[in-house]
Amino acid sequence: MIEIKNVNKVFYQAGREIKALDDINLSIAEGSIYGVIGSSGAGKSTLIRCVNLLERPTKGRIFVDGIELNSLSANELTLARRKIGMIFQHFNLLSSRTVFNNVGLPLELAGVSKQEIKEKVESLLELVGLSDKKDSYPANLSGGQKQRVAIARALASDPKVLLCDEATSALDPATTHSILELLRKINREFNLTILLITHEMAVVKSICSDVAIIGGGKLVEQGPVGDIFAHPKTELARQFIRSTLDLSIPADYAARLSASQSPNSYPLVRLEFTGASVDAPIISHVARELNLDISILSSNMDYVGGIKFGLMLAEFFGSPQATEQAIAFLKENKIEVEVLGYVA
Amino acid sequence: MSLEMFSTWWTTNERLIDLLITASGQTLTMVFLAGLIGLIFGIPLGVLLHLTKKSGLLSNKNLNKALGVMVNIGRSIPFIILLVAVIPFTRFIVGSSIGTAAAVVPLSIAAIPFIARLIEGALLEVPSGLVEAAQAMGAKPYQIIFKVLLPEALPGIIHAITILLVTLIGYSAMAGTVGGGGLGDVGIRYGYQRFDAAVMMMTIVILVVFVQIIQSLGDYLVKRVDHR
Ligand SMILES: Nc1ncnc2c1ncn2[C@@H]1O[C@H](COP(=O)(O)OP(=O)(O)OP(=O)(O)O)[C@@H](O)[C@H]1O
Ligand SMILES: [Mg+2]
């Protein structure tokens, strides 16, 4: 549905060259929810803005629904954009228009009759759950409500593609969740292809089918979300995955932690389960077979695309030999083990 | 000036009262006519200044520069000089270089660049994200101007028009120089040249009332259209 071919974007600022996008190739299938993740300044916004040519690539070609956008005249591009919806981090609703008139704007631009606009807008407001707000002005809405209006507006001209530029980054976690649910719903209901950019792996994890990771303007890694979580090939991918389950050592434990073992102290270990780890009840196996008591301090396990992964902090109470054997066994099963120190 | 003095003056100076009423009419005619003409030319000019900017919708460096220089020249000529300098042009347009109608010409010429800059400023306040969103939804440039930029800038535009009208009231006082009449002219002739303090006070009071009414009306309208 969306093809991004050899796209490069160079900005010139104060005589300096900034390579914002470096030979990006992406192919986004119809009906998928495709996530692009990267840290600040990675080039995410530039990439998504290239898709509807808000930003013209310095080099490369963009196809949406089989049409090469770069080759269109200004007027043709304007018409093509009506089939590409877009929502933004800061909503970009017109403050001078009511909710109703904001949602109706794309239809007004296309010269649709008043009666049709009314019917369409009312059904869209119902879809996003804001029928009661139709005469309100955006200034009187919450962030989540504003983004719902923006989504309704983006859907007004029946687009085939929806571009989301950090659509949930200005929202709290609960609202983020509800907006993502709404995106998933419209993806299913209208078979709408969604390209979503974010800096949060949690967003990718919760709704995307595929993900591309970009860093420094380069496409670092891409694939189905499950595969990336299971077998991240790059350090950047691992970092993003870890960021979804960051576990830190509680302060009072950290204070009691020492680097060397004394007779009555026990190791505090961090276990990292990845897609490569053997999927079996390993913890209880270790405890039973090696006569080791395992006390789980904290744990953050997750399940994405058929893959179990996560982090766990645990204390191993047992003889030094048993502990050593346990660690060896865990490593054999492709669980990464790190001894963080010894707690007295 | 006590209240009693004021009322005796009022009953004994019918001719002067007529004069003040006529002068008020002339002032209002000059201000609103020149204001209207100023807006008709100044608003498109302001929009053009905004659009031709570097990051603007119809970015055009040379046109922007040319317009900018023109506007700056217009803005830097003191009105009293402009008034005299454009006399030949005034004569060409209205057939005469004196009278209220003649004063409207220089007032309009002063109003155009003045309002153009204020409109440009009002448009600058419209977040660029809104224009981008409109582009993304397939708005043509004229649709962006009329459905996004101008409606979103409306509070600022009304504010700018208020400032223009108040400024024109001030300028119109100088129109007496070309026989334009108006309250300013009366104030100078009676108050300054004939030391008639009462008449001068009256003209000032009327001018203050005009300015108050325009400003309040402007503020009220801004409040009504501002949903930010
Ligand atoms: N109009 C511009 N002119 C010059 N440089 C730009 C412009 N837009 C973006 N850049 C540069 O391009 C790079 C990528 O920017 P971009 O906005 O795409 O990053 P991002 O991944 O969206 O970051 P963030 O998460 O902070 O939004 C940055 O180094 C930025 O400074
Ligand atoms: Mg960005």
Side-chain angles (χ1 to χ4, degrees):
Chain A
M1 184 50 95
I2 304 175
E3 296 278 344
I4 298 170
K5 292 198 165 152
N6 305 100
V7 165
N8 285 266
K9 177 73 194 183
V10 181
F11 287 112
Y12 296 94
Q13 205 174 41
R16 257 180 352 108
E17 233 183 57
I18 302 168
K19 215 164 185 169
L21 295 177
D22 190 356
D23 206 33
I24 303 278
N25 284 287
L26 272 185
S27 171
I28 295 162
E30 182 174 355
S32 61
I33 304 185
Y34 202 107
V36 172
I37 187 167
S39 25
S40 189
K44 307 181 296 289
S45 297
T46 309
L47 177 64
I48 203 164
R49 289 158 50 81
C50 277
V51 174
N52 58 2
L53 296 196
L54 280 180
E55 204 79 78
R56 287 233 167 225
T58 314
K59 220 181 81 194
R61 307 199 290 170
I62 306 278
F63 295 83
V64 174
D65 198 18
I67 300 169
E68 185 181 356
L69 296 186
N70 320 55
S71 65
L72 300 180
S73 69
N75 201 33
E76 288 168 330
L77 175 62
T78 299
L79 297 181
R81 278 174 174 162
R82 293 185 180 163
K83 291 290 161 208
I84 307 174
M86 188 169 195
I87 57 174
F88 305 84
Q89 179 173 3
H90 298 295
F91 324 120
N92 291 346
L93 298 176
L94 301 195
S95 69
S96 58
R97 286 176 169 246
T98 59
V99 165
F100 182 95
N101 287 324
N102 261 289
V103 176
L105 180 60
L107 300 169
E108 246 177 72
L109 298 176
V112 173
S113 77
K114 279 226 157 73
Q115 184 55 37
E116 276 176 79
I117 291 180
K118 187 165 150 37
E119 282 165 21
K120 182 86 194 178
V121 171
E122 277 171 1
S123 81
L124 284 167
L125 286 178
E126 180 142 358
L127 175 79
V128 301
L130 285 178
S131 299
D132 56 326
K133 295 282 184 193
K134 76 178 179 148
D135 295 321
S136 302
Y137 283 91
N140 302 324
L141 301 180
S142 71
Q145 290 171 332
K146 282 181 195 165
Q147 198 59 291
R148 282 170 186 273
V149 175
I151 290 171
R153 182 176 72 175
L155 295 179
S157 48
D158 295 319
K160 301 203 160 145
V161 167
L162 179 66
L163 308 176
C164 311
D165 187 352
E166 304 260 10
T168 57
S169 298
L171 305 175
D172 64 59
T175 315
T176 294
H177 182 75
S178 77
I179 293 293
L180 293 178
E181 280 306 316
L182 177 60
L183 290 177
R184 198 207 308 273
K185 177 168 134 190
I186 59 180
N187 162 257
R188 288 211 188 113
E189 220 160 283
F190 308 115
N191 193 33
L192 187 73
T193 308
I194 299 181
L195 173 60
L196 170 158
I197 69 164
T198 178
H199 59 266
E200 292 167 302
M201 201 59 164
V203 169
V204 170
K205 199 176 73 185
S206 69
I207 66 163
C208 293
S209 49
D210 300 84
V211 62
I213 298 169
I214 62 173
K218 285 198 176 66
L219 189 77
V220 176
E221 208 170 330
Q222 70 174 105
V225 171
D227 289 2
I228 299 284
F229 272 90
H231 310 289
K233 292 185 198 71
T234 58
E235 183 50 34
L236 193 61
R238 267 189 285 275
Q239 267 174 29
F240 277 118
I241 293 169
R242 218 171 281 143
S243 73
T244 66
L245 19 90
D246 189 35
L247 276 193
S248 49
I249 306 169
D252 57 327
Y253 261 83
R256 286 192 285 139
L257 211 58
S258 66
S260 58
Q261 190 164 21
S262 59
N264 48 3
S265 70
Y266 295 98
L268 178 67
V269 296
R270 187 175 68 187
L271 308 180
E272 185 171 354
F273 297 77
T274 68
S277 306
V278 175
D279 187 13
I282 286 169
I283 298 290
S284 55
H285 178 92
V286 168
R288 195 172 54 241
E289 296 295 316
L290 300 170
N291 195 21
L292 197 70
D293 285 317
I294 297 176
S295 162
I296 297 171
L297 189 58
S298 63
S299 158
N300 191 344
M301 300 294 294
D302 213 328
Y303 185 82
V304 179
I307 305 295
K308 256 194 262 175
F309 67 98
L311 288 177
M312 187 182 285
L313 287 183
E315 283 177 277
F316 284 5
F317 298 103
S319 66
Q321 294 91 317
T323 304
E324 222 164 85
Q325 280 174 335
I327 290 172
F329 180 77
L330 290 167
K331 283 185 174 162
E332 255 166 52
N333 285 282
K334 303 272 189 283
I335 293 164
E336 286 173 33
V337 185
E338 188 185 350
V339 177
L340 300 170
Y342 299 88
V343 184
Chain B
M1 197 165 60
S2 74
L3 209 61
E4 200 181 322
M5 232 178 90
F6 182 78
S7 58
T8 37
W9 181 87
W10 188 264
T11 48
T12 53
N13 283 282
E14 235 174 275
R15 197 184 61 79
L16 282 176
I17 288 162
D18 272 350
L19 183 79
L20 285 172
I21 290 171
T22 313
S24 299
Q26 287 168 335
T27 293
L28 293 178
T29 307
M30 285 188 286
V31 167
F32 283 97
L33 212 54
L36 190 68
I37 297 169
L39 292 177
I40 289 171
F41 291 97
I43 291 181
L45 183 56
V47 171
L48 212 53
L49 273 171
H50 180 72
L51 295 179
T52 54
K53 273 203 185 74
K54 190 157 164 269
S55 54
L57 207 53
L58 308 171
S59 172
N60 184 329
K61 201 173 155 195
N62 293 330
L63 182 59
N64 186 266
K65 214 164 204 159
L67 292 176
V69 168
M70 259 170 54
V71 165
N72 286 346
I73 291 173
R75 299 267 286 120
S76 51
I77 300 172
F79 183 66
I80 191 84
I81 294 175
L82 183 78
L83 200 59
V84 182
V86 299
I87 283 177
F89 181 67
T90 307
R91 195 174 286 137
F92 173 73
I93 297 279
V94 287
S96 153
S97 62
I98 50 170
T100 305
V104 170
V105 175
L107 281 171
S108 304
I109 293 175
I112 292 167
F114 186 84
I115 193 73
R117 276 291 183 222
L118 292 178
I119 296 290
E120 185 194 8
L123 293 172
L124 203 61
E125 304 257 297
V126 178
S128 61
L130 298 188
V131 173
E132 215 158 68
Q135 281 178 307
M137 64 180 85
K140 302 188 166 139
Y142 79 89
Q143 291 177 318
I144 295 179
I145 296 169
F146 290 104
K147 292 199 181 280
V148 178
L149 281 175
L150 291 175
E152 286 294 309
L154 193 58
I157 291 174
I158 293 175
H159 186 68
I161 293 173
T162 310
I163 296 175
L164 172 72
L165 293 178
V166 169
T167 304
L168 285 177
I169 286 183
Y171 282 0
S172 74
M174 295 177 227
T177 327
V178 293
L183 288 166
D185 183 41
V186 171
I188 290 171
R189 276 193 288 132
Y190 286 76
Y192 182 68
Q193 288 161 0
R194 299 191 200 169
F195 305 105
D196 189 338
V199 174
M200 197 170 71
M201 284 307 286
M202 289 295 290
T203 61
I204 291 173
V205 168
I206 296 172
L207 286 171
V208 168
V209 170
F210 281 175
V211 169
Q212 279 296 337
I213 290 174
I214 290 172
Q215 191 66 53
S216 309
L217 197 67
D219 291 346
Y220 168 77
L221 288 175
V222 168
K223 221 166 148 185
R224 273 208 46 177
V225 301
D226 194 355
H227 299 289
R228 284 172 295 187

